[in-house]
Amino acid sequence: MSRSAIRGTHSQNGDGLDLDSCRYASIYDSVFDVGDDAICIKSGKDADGRDLGRPTEYVTIRNCQVFHGHGGFVIGSEMSGGVRHVYLTDCVFIGTDAGLRFKSTRGRGGTVEKIFIRNVRMKDIGKEAIIFSSYYSGKNNTEEAVPVSEETPVFRDFTIRDTTCIGAGRAVLIKGLPEMPVQNVLFENVLLTAQTGATCENVEHIVFRNTTVIPEQGEAFTVDDAEKFIIAE
């Protein structure tokens, strides 16, 4: 998909692009201005998605612009068949609710991994500049650990480099499950300014390298139930 303009800001549940259970896709030089998620990666929902078992993989997204949407670049929440090997580079998000949005919930299952993001510029983001949430829906959201099963969603092996956000409600929110933390996320050469800083809960091996978070109020980083949480130059 290239040199396209997708508009529909008043369309409820109107995603700009849903890439579902696809391989070897390239999206570039496109503009999105929509009422729901703009560029969204999926791979089936719950048992049907797991039974099909067809991941979305080897996807390249570059030089795209998003002006409205619930999320600029989104994976989930329907990712039960898995998502891997996705490359997002050289994109601009202005005025979206969230910038980089990764979402799922118990019951989905599936693994999202090997996601590489570089050179994203964000401005005036209403909520989180970057969010990982394993509590997307209102069901099965107990804070207590439950047994890991095929219904447990997994987020791991993300790299976010050379990325900025000037103005957001929150810089970063990472909220994994107590039984399945969000794992192996590297932020490198990142600058984020927001009303509040970065909050990380139920995470494992999260690295902020040469990363600056500037909140208008409160602490730059708030961490709970974390293993190998590293802030380094």
Side-chain angles (χ1 to χ4, degrees), residues 49-61:
R50 295 193 299 272
D51 290 345
L52 181 62
R54 185 174 296 167
T56 295
E57 58 186 346
Y58 304 108
V59 176
T60 300
I61 302 150

PDB file of all heavy atoms in Angstrom, residues 49-61:
ATOM      1  N   GLY A  49      -8.599 -17.315  16.349  1.00  0.00           N
ATOM      2  CA  GLY A  49      -7.279 -16.872  15.920  1.00  0.00           C
ATOM      3  C   GLY A  49      -6.186 -17.856  16.287  1.00  0.00           C
ATOM      4  O   GLY A  49      -5.262 -18.102  15.501  1.00  0.00           O
ATOM      5  N   ARG A  50      -6.282 -18.434  17.486  1.00  0.00           N
ATOM      6  CA  ARG A  50      -5.273 -19.424  17.888  1.00  0.00           C
ATOM      7  C   ARG A  50      -5.372 -20.682  17.043  1.00  0.00           C
ATOM      8  O   ARG A  50      -4.357 -21.278  16.659  1.00  0.00           O
ATOM      9  CB  ARG A  50      -5.434 -19.760  19.372  1.00  0.00           C
ATOM     10  CG  ARG A  50      -5.151 -18.587  20.312  1.00  0.00           C
ATOM     11  CD  ARG A  50      -5.013 -19.051  21.751  1.00  0.00           C
ATOM     12  NE  ARG A  50      -6.218 -19.687  22.254  1.00  0.00           N
ATOM     13  CZ  ARG A  50      -7.231 -19.048  22.837  1.00  0.00           C
ATOM     14  NH1 ARG A  50      -7.186 -17.730  22.942  1.00  0.00           N
ATOM     15  NH2 ARG A  50      -8.278 -19.701  23.311  1.00  0.00           N
ATOM     16  N   ASP A  51      -6.589 -21.117  16.737  1.00  0.00           N
ATOM     17  CA  ASP A  51      -6.755 -22.325  15.930  1.00  0.00           C
ATOM     18  C   ASP A  51      -6.213 -22.130  14.515  1.00  0.00           C
ATOM     19  O   ASP A  51      -5.589 -23.029  13.943  1.00  0.00           O
ATOM     20  CB  ASP A  51      -8.234 -22.718  15.868  1.00  0.00           C
ATOM     21  CG  ASP A  51      -8.760 -23.242  17.190  1.00  0.00           C
ATOM     22  OD1 ASP A  51      -7.937 -23.573  18.075  1.00  0.00           O
ATOM     23  OD2 ASP A  51      -9.992 -23.302  17.366  1.00  0.00           O
ATOM     24  N   LEU A  52      -6.469 -20.964  13.936  1.00  0.00           N
ATOM     25  CA  LEU A  52      -5.920 -20.682  12.608  1.00  0.00           C
ATOM     26  C   LEU A  52      -4.403 -20.598  12.662  1.00  0.00           C
ATOM     27  O   LEU A  52      -3.699 -21.106  11.787  1.00  0.00           O
ATOM     28  CB  LEU A  52      -6.504 -19.380  12.068  1.00  0.00           C
ATOM     29  CG  LEU A  52      -6.043 -18.960  10.676  1.00  0.00           C
ATOM     30  CD1 LEU A  52      -6.446 -19.990   9.635  1.00  0.00           C
ATOM     31  CD2 LEU A  52      -6.611 -17.587  10.319  1.00  0.00           C
ATOM     32  N   GLY A  53      -3.886 -19.949  13.702  1.00  0.00           N
ATOM     33  CA  GLY A  53      -2.442 -19.908  13.942  1.00  0.00           C
ATOM     34  C   GLY A  53      -1.649 -19.257  12.829  1.00  0.00           C
ATOM     35  O   GLY A  53      -0.549 -19.704  12.505  1.00  0.00           O
ATOM     36  N   ARG A  54      -2.194 -18.208  12.248  1.00  0.00           N
ATOM     37  CA  ARG A  54      -1.515 -17.545  11.140  1.00  0.00           C
ATOM     38  C   ARG A  54      -1.055 -16.171  11.591  1.00  0.00           C
ATOM     39  O   ARG A  54      -1.834 -15.222  11.634  1.00  0.00           O
ATOM     40  CB  ARG A  54      -2.453 -17.434   9.942  1.00  0.00           C
ATOM     41  CG  ARG A  54      -1.793 -16.847   8.687  1.00  0.00           C
ATOM     42  CD  ARG A  54      -2.752 -16.901   7.510  1.00  0.00           C
ATOM     43  NE  ARG A  54      -3.074 -18.278   7.166  1.00  0.00           N
ATOM     44  CZ  ARG A  54      -4.062 -18.628   6.346  1.00  0.00           C
ATOM     45  NH1 ARG A  54      -4.851 -17.691   5.824  1.00  0.00           N
ATOM     46  NH2 ARG A  54      -4.288 -19.894   6.069  1.00  0.00           N
ATOM     47  N   PRO A  55       0.218 -16.024  11.927  1.00  0.00           N
ATOM     48  CA  PRO A  55       0.700 -14.732  12.435  1.00  0.00           C
ATOM     49  C   PRO A  55       0.787 -13.683  11.337  1.00  0.00           C
ATOM     50  O   PRO A  55       0.898 -14.001  10.146  1.00  0.00           O
ATOM     51  CB  PRO A  55       2.094 -15.070  12.968  1.00  0.00           C
ATOM     52  CG  PRO A  55       2.531 -16.233  12.144  1.00  0.00           C
ATOM     53  CD  PRO A  55       1.282 -17.030  11.866  1.00  0.00           C
ATOM     54  N   THR A  56       0.727 -12.438  11.732  1.00  0.00           N
ATOM     55  CA  THR A  56       1.114 -11.345  10.853  1.00  0.00           C
ATOM     56  C   THR A  56       2.613 -11.130  11.044  1.00  0.00           C
ATOM     57  O   THR A  56       3.077 -10.933  12.164  1.00  0.00           O
ATOM     58  CB  THR A  56       0.332 -10.067  11.186  1.00  0.00           C
ATOM     59  OG1 THR A  56      -1.055 -10.289  10.898  1.00  0.00           O
ATOM     60  CG2 THR A  56       0.821  -8.898  10.351  1.00  0.00           C
ATOM     61  N   GLU A  57       3.370 -11.173   9.945  1.00  0.00           N
ATOM     62  CA  GLU A  57       4.823 -11.135  10.074  1.00  0.00           C
ATOM     63  C   GLU A  57       5.476 -10.541   8.831  1.00  0.00           C
ATOM     64  O   GLU A  57       4.889 -10.500   7.758  1.00  0.00           O
ATOM     65  CB  GLU A  57       5.377 -12.538  10.335  1.00  0.00           C
ATOM     66  CG  GLU A  57       5.025 -13.562   9.274  1.00  0.00           C
ATOM     67  CD  GLU A  57       5.455 -14.963   9.633  1.00  0.00           C
ATOM     68  OE1 GLU A  57       6.256 -15.135  10.568  1.00  0.00           O
ATOM     69  OE2 GLU A  57       4.996 -15.911   8.962  1.00  0.00           O
ATOM     70  N   TYR A  58       6.689 -10.048   9.039  1.00  0.00           N
ATOM     71  CA  TYR A  58       7.479  -9.432   7.979  1.00  0.00           C
ATOM     72  C   TYR A  58       6.714  -8.273   7.331  1.00  0.00           C
ATOM     73  O   TYR A  58       6.392  -8.281   6.147  1.00  0.00           O
ATOM     74  CB  TYR A  58       7.912 -10.477   6.941  1.00  0.00           C
ATOM     75  CG  TYR A  58       8.677 -11.619   7.558  1.00  0.00           C
ATOM     76  CD1 TYR A  58       8.105 -12.885   7.675  1.00  0.00           C
ATOM     77  CD2 TYR A  58       9.959 -11.417   8.076  1.00  0.00           C
ATOM     78  CE1 TYR A  58       8.788 -13.924   8.267  1.00  0.00           C
ATOM     79  CE2 TYR A  58      10.652 -12.459   8.675  1.00  0.00           C
ATOM     80  CZ  TYR A  58      10.060 -13.702   8.776  1.00  0.00           C
ATOM     81  OH  TYR A  58      10.743 -14.736   9.377  1.00  0.00           O
ATOM     82  N   VAL A  59       6.450  -7.281   8.160  1.00  0.00           N
ATOM     83  CA  VAL A  59       5.702  -6.099   7.748  1.00  0.00           C
ATOM     84  C   VAL A  59       6.613  -4.879   7.898  1.00  0.00           C
ATOM     85  O   VAL A  59       7.266  -4.702   8.929  1.00  0.00           O
ATOM     86  CB  VAL A  59       4.428  -5.907   8.589  1.00  0.00           C
ATOM     87  CG1 VAL A  59       3.712  -4.615   8.220  1.00  0.00           C
ATOM     88  CG2 VAL A  59       3.500  -7.110   8.427  1.00  0.00           C
ATOM     89  N   THR A  60       6.635  -4.032   6.882  1.00  0.00           N
ATOM     90  CA  THR A  60       7.398  -2.789   6.912  1.00  0.00           C
ATOM     91  C   THR A  60       6.444  -1.613   6.734  1.00  0.00           C
ATOM     92  O   THR A  60       5.637  -1.592   5.805  1.00  0.00           O
ATOM     93  CB  THR A  60       8.450  -2.756   5.798  1.00  0.00           C
ATOM     94  OG1 THR A  60       9.351  -3.860   5.966  1.00  0.00           O
ATOM     95  CG2 THR A  60       9.244  -1.456   5.846  1.00  0.00           C
ATOM     96  N   ILE A  61       6.547  -0.643   7.641  1.00  0.00           N
ATOM     97  CA  ILE A  61       5.737   0.572   7.583  1.00  0.00           C
ATOM     98  C   ILE A  61       6.703   1.749   7.655  1.00  0.00           C
ATOM     99  O   ILE A  61       7.481   1.855   8.601  1.00  0.00           O
ATOM    100  CB  ILE A  61       4.738   0.639   8.748  1.00  0.00           C
ATOM    101  CG1 ILE A  61       3.831  -0.590   8.736  1.00  0.00           C
ATOM    102  CG2 ILE A  61       3.902   1.909   8.696  1.00  0.00           C
ATOM    103  CD1 ILE A  61       3.354  -1.006  10.095  1.00  0.00           C
TER     104      ILE A  61
END
